Amino acid sequence: MDITFQNVSYTYQPGTPFQGVGLQDINVTIPSGSYTALIGHTGSGKSTLLQHLNALLKPTSGVVKIGTREITPETNNKHLKAIRQKVGMVFQFPESQLFESTVQKDIAFGPQNFGVPIDEALARAKEMIELVGLPANVIDKSPFDLSGGQMRRVAIAGVLAMQPEVLVLDEPTAGLDPVGRREMMGLFEKLHIEQGMTIVMVTHQMDDVANYADNVIVLEHGRLAKTGSPREIFADPDWLTEKQLGLPTTTQFAQALSRRGFIFDQVPLTEHELAALLAEQLPKKAGRAHE
Amino acid sequence: MNKLILGRYIPGDSILHRMDPRAKLLASFYYIGIIFLARTWQAYALLLVFTLVLIGISKIKLDFFIKGVKPLLWLILFTVLLQIFFTRGGHVYWQWGFLSLTQYGLINGAYIFMRFVLIIFMSTLLTLTTPPLSLADAIESILKPLKVVHFPVYEVALMLSIALRFVPTLMDETTKIMDAQRARGVDFGEGNLFQQMKAIVPILIPLFVSSFNRADDLATAMEARGYQGGEGRSKYRILKWRTKDTVAFILMGLLTIALIFLR
């Protein structure tokens, strides 16, 4: 299910003194099955763009195509449920959306809203608890008795239980410890590879972009600044610095090495890539040092 | 929620914006009080002109004030209609059972309408030109004499300024939670009354829980910064009474005299 933006603009509270521009003339496609990272400095319109992906916001001009549905400024607010089920959205700090008396009921809440019978919804909840790596005994606990990291997993499980085709994540690992981060990112990677789920993720972690994404969208002041593969985006460090964005640690390290005489014909993105490229060059270097 | 203009602040730079908030608050209350002195159409005309001149001075478009009246339009119409149909006296134009359309009824209806509009305009003007925190400071300063009767002025002022500070934050939070629940398939404002009420639960509970957490965090942060209560604290924002504030009260006095003459 491709999601395409055609000349999309969005203005907050038009016609009031509180008016503000969210998006300006965005043209971009998020291909089906891709792992898209959305980056840009704070206030660049990332979250505004995210909310267009499941019609929580409608463009003030232009068209958003979600699969076969077209969302225009005139689109009626009713009958959007079908879209919301296909595009699951995990907001920033999603633990603040929990409300049910037990974890299981909370996870089943989403599917029930889309007409899944209660038994099946509860069964799905059980599966999801395992999928997101929660211990089985949390099932009957109140979500408010869990730790912050566990609450976040419950919230994510609640979205996954809707069995979306596209998973939209707004900084899913913000505020998690390193282990929690790695596990969460591993889960999304697994969903992407095993189930072919389309993933759209807003993040400030360039390492995550380099390690997982295959498509990057850069926003700046509500405008589209660049799109391309991570390799294309990270190939120009000066441009990124100018846009107040950083490089992945691996790429930074590779840059420092290249100042000391190492040659990389393409930017290494992951540790493995860097290691492989270094392994090729090190023997030669060592040989030269002996002479 | 964005339609409500009353209670919002628009930053600006006019004489009204720069006035002492205490003066503005007291003058607005006084003004609302003297509106009830007016009993003739000349008096209402004077009040209307006075209000419109103030709005002109504030450099804020009249549109906003009219928009501010809109959410209350039904209440106003309801009250006005009650007045029109249930007041007796003067020339009777039309009668049907207990309903009657009389001269006094029409006049009373018009007066009530004017009162509503004037009161809403003036209170909107107060909040549009005064930042909420200044208002809280003003209330604290005005309530100070009540300390004599052991009224907890400082605590009330603190609660007020914290409440005001968190209104926008809670609004943002509400929108965020609503969006999150919408994304999980909740329809707000659809279905019958019972279904609509049920749809509120997934917003209300998270909102309460996060308020408790926020209150806890805020209290800890305040204690960590050495807060021990109102006694012996100095003030950062100091209110200053200037000539223009006195002028405002002289104007109010003149207006009162004019209104008494026009009775």
Side-chain angles (χ1 to χ4, degrees):
Chain A
M1 198 169 72
D2 291 359
I3 300 179
T4 310
F5 285 69
Q6 288 174 352
N7 308 316
V8 170
S9 297
Y10 183 80
T11 314
Y12 280 101
Q13 304 197 25
T16 71
F18 315 104
Q19 182 168 329
V21 174
L23 294 176
Q24 275 184 69
D25 203 29
I26 302 280
N27 280 293
V28 76
T29 299
I30 295 167
S32 184
S34 71
Y35 195 132
T36 300
L38 192 56
I39 59 176
H41 59 85
T42 329
S44 57
K46 302 181 299 281
S47 297
T48 314
L49 190 133
L50 278 198
Q51 293 182 47
H52 280 81
L53 296 176
N54 72 351
L56 280 175
L57 291 180
K58 288 180 294 179
T60 21
S61 71
V63 183
V64 183
K65 279 188 189 162
I66 306 171
T68 51
R69 274 295 288 274
E70 284 195 0
I71 306 292
T72 63
E74 290 81 33
T75 303
N76 194 309
N77 274 332
K78 285 175 184 166
H79 315 299
L80 293 173
K81 265 196 172 180
I83 292 178
R84 301 211 171 124
Q85 196 228 320
K86 282 184 185 155
V87 183
M89 187 160 302
V90 178
F91 284 84
Q92 242 175 69
F93 302 105
E95 49 274 26
S96 67
Q97 74 190 31
L98 303 176
F99 72 98
E100 272 285 9
S101 49
T102 70
V103 167
Q104 189 176 29
K105 277 192 198 164
D106 201 285
I107 298 176
F109 176 71
Q112 273 180 273
N113 283 329
F114 295 111
V116 176
I118 179 109
D119 299 335
E120 199 194 325
L122 290 175
R124 266 196 212 175
K126 226 174 198 172
E127 269 171 50
M128 290 305 142
I129 288 173
E130 203 187 308
L131 181 70
V132 297
L134 283 167
N137 66 352
V138 299
I139 197 158
D140 288 321
K141 278 191 188 168
S142 157
F144 299 110
D145 289 339
L146 304 181
S147 72
Q150 287 179 322
M151 280 169 82
R152 172 129 359 145
R153 282 162 204 258
V154 174
I156 292 174
V159 174
L160 290 176
M162 289 155 35
Q163 301 186 331
E165 289 173 33
V166 180
L167 184 64
V168 181
L169 305 150
D170 194 350
E171 293 189 51
T173 60
L176 287 187
D177 59 21
V179 177
R181 270 192 51 194
R182 220 175 306 129
E183 284 179 6
M184 281 281 101
M185 293 308 293
L187 168 68
F188 303 138
E189 174 81 346
K190 196 173 110 187
L191 290 168
H192 175 60
I193 291 173
E194 288 178 7
Q195 301 183 17
M197 202 180 267
T198 311
I199 291 189
V200 184
M201 174 161 53
V202 165
T203 181
H204 291 293
Q205 307 290 333
M206 295 305 149
D207 289 357
D208 289 344
V209 178
N211 285 332
Y212 302 106
D214 52 29
N215 183 22
V216 183
I217 298 173
V218 189
L219 284 182
E220 197 202 15
H221 303 306
R223 289 177 183 280
L224 189 70
K226 217 180 208 179
T227 57
S229 67
R231 210 174 293 283
E232 285 160 11
I233 301 290
F234 292 130
D236 191 351
D238 298 336
W239 184 84
L240 281 167
T241 324
E242 186 194 309
K243 301 285 180 241
Q244 300 179 25
L245 295 166
L247 284 172
T249 2
T250 322
T251 317
Q252 277 174 28
F253 187 57
Q255 259 189 315
L257 283 174
S258 66
R259 277 195 289 273
R260 297 287 181 90
F262 284 89
I263 301 149
F264 303 103
D265 9 309
Q266 58 172 352
V267 213
L269 289 177
T270 62
E271 285 160 35
H272 286 292
E273 258 180 65
L274 180 66
L277 288 170
L278 284 182
E280 267 172 40
Q281 294 188 35
L282 273 176
K284 286 183 223 157
K285 281 242 167 196
R288 228 175 298 148
H290 267 283
E291 281 165 24
Chain B
M1 245 179 264
N2 295 328
K3 278 183 191 148
L4 204 62
I5 299 293
L6 187 78
R8 296 187 82 163
Y9 169 64
I10 301 181
D13 184 38
S14 66
I15 293 186
L16 287 178
H17 279 91
R18 288 193 301 267
M19 262 176 75
D20 188 300
R22 282 172 298 182
K24 266 191 277 187
L25 189 67
L26 288 175
S28 316
F29 275 114
Y30 184 74
Y31 182 82
I32 289 170
I34 59 174
I35 285 175
F36 293 95
L37 280 179
R39 292 199 192 283
T40 58
W41 67 267
Q42 291 97 330
Y44 279 106
L46 176 69
L47 284 172
L48 187 65
V49 169
F50 185 82
T51 313
L52 288 179
V53 168
L54 281 186
I55 289 174
I57 292 173
S58 76
K59 294 182 197 159
I60 297 170
K61 280 186 202 151
L62 191 61
D63 290 7
F64 293 125
F65 293 88
I66 295 169
K67 268 187 203 155
V69 173
K70 266 185 193 158
L72 297 168
L73 199 62
W74 289 114
L75 178 73
I76 298 176
L77 281 182
F78 179 71
T79 321
V80 167
L81 286 179
L82 277 188
Q83 282 290 329
I84 289 180
F85 286 117
F86 287 99
T87 312
R88 280 155 209 279
H91 186 76
V92 178
Y93 301 109
W94 176 79
Q95 194 151 24
W96 183 78
F98 57 92
L99 292 177
S100 60
L101 197 63
T102 64
Q103 191 187 357
Y104 284 4
L106 283 178
I107 292 172
N108 258 348
Y111 286 174
I112 294 278
F113 179 77
M114 283 301 291
R115 277 182 198 167
F116 264 116
V117 170
L118 288 171
I119 291 173
I120 294 169
F121 273 17
M122 198 42 115
S123 38
T124 310
L125 186 65
L126 173 70
T127 59
L128 284 185
T129 58
T130 322
L133 271 182
S134 304
L135 272 183
D137 286 346
I139 292 171
E140 182 186 359
S141 171
I142 291 168
L143 290 183
K144 235 171 216 159
L146 287 178
K147 264 192 184 156
V148 186
V149 291
H150 299 294
F151 181 79
V153 174
Y154 184 80
E155 280 73 14
V156 169
L158 181 75
M159 280 194 276
L160 197 65
S161 41
I162 290 178
L164 286 170
R165 158 64 187 79
F166 281 102
V167 167
T169 314
L170 277 176
M171 291 271 261
D172 285 351
E173 181 116 23
T174 314
T175 325
K176 218 194 94 183
I177 294 173
M178 273 178 86
D179 278 348
Q181 306 299 19
R182 230 182 250 143
R184 289 168 85 191
V186 180
D187 285 321
F188 294 111
E190 272 178 43
N192 59 35
L193 192 65
F194 183 68
Q195 285 167 327
Q196 287 199 32
M197 269 159 51
K198 238 179 119 183
I200 302 289
V201 176
I203 322 174
L204 225 49
I205 294 178
L207 211 53
F208 269 114
V209 171
S210 89
S211 299
F212 285 133
N213 290 337
R214 203 186 296 281
D216 203 23
D217 289 347
L218 184 67
T220 314
M222 280 170 75
E223 277 190 333
R225 292 167 78 182
Y227 177 84
Q228 292 183 327
E231 288 311 309
R233 286 191 74 204
S234 55
K235 274 184 100 54
Y236 172 64
R237 291 185 304 269
I238 292 168
L239 301 175
K240 259 202 193 120
W241 192 278
R242 294 193 193 80
T243 327
K244 56 174 170 279
D245 303 310
T246 317
V247 171
F249 277 94
I250 295 173
L251 275 178
M252 283 294 160
L254 291 177
L255 190 66
T256 320
I257 297 170
L259 283 178
I260 291 171
F261 265 103
L262 290 174
R263 269 170 86 90

